[in-house]
Amino acid sequence: LRIPRKKEQPVSPPAAKASVKQCTVFVECKGMDEEALRNAFSRFGEMQLDVSRGSVFITYESPDVAATARKEMNGGMIRGVDVLVQPAGEENGYVELPPEAASQPWAQIGEQVE
């Protein structure tokens, strides 16, 4: 009795890890409070909200989720305020830390950068 061999399934290469920048959107929404932003943008998935330096950046788990949030929220309104959502980039003040700095506690980052 001969048992047929299973065909080997091709192995897909692992997906390249997305950068934090690819998972982040810039939100321009003048005078909007943090709670309203969380309520509006959390429906797309787990997120991290950064409202420092007078800018608002929202980071999601994947570039696809960030793109969906950008597509659905850009040009909309939150509590009667116009919302502009763009990819995060230098033009809107986004600075991505190098991987070794991003994994360090905040207290040590200043020491590495200086």
Side-chain angles (χ1 to χ4, degrees), residues 9-68:
Q9 298 293 327
V11 177
S12 301
K17 185 174 178 179
S19 73
V20 174
K21 180 179 175 181
Q22 293 172 312
C23 299
T24 304
V25 295
F26 167 75
V27 180
E28 185 177 318
C29 193
K30 301 201 186 305
M32 189 58 51
D33 63 79
E34 193 172 320
E35 180 183 352
L37 288 166
R38 278 191 196 285
N39 289 337
F41 284 89
S42 64
R43 68 186 174 108
F44 300 102
E46 291 283 326
M47 58 173 259
Q48 180 180 3
L49 184 67
D50 178 7
V51 292
S52 62
R53 303 166 301 187
S55 298
V56 177
F57 294 97
I58 299 174
T59 303
Y60 290 100
E61 296 175 337
S62 75
D64 291 339
V65 175
T68 299

Side-chain angles (χ1 to χ4, degrees), residues 4-12:
R5 296 175 80 196
K6 287 185 178 180
K7 289 185 179 180
E8 290 187 28
Q9 298 293 327
V11 177
S12 301

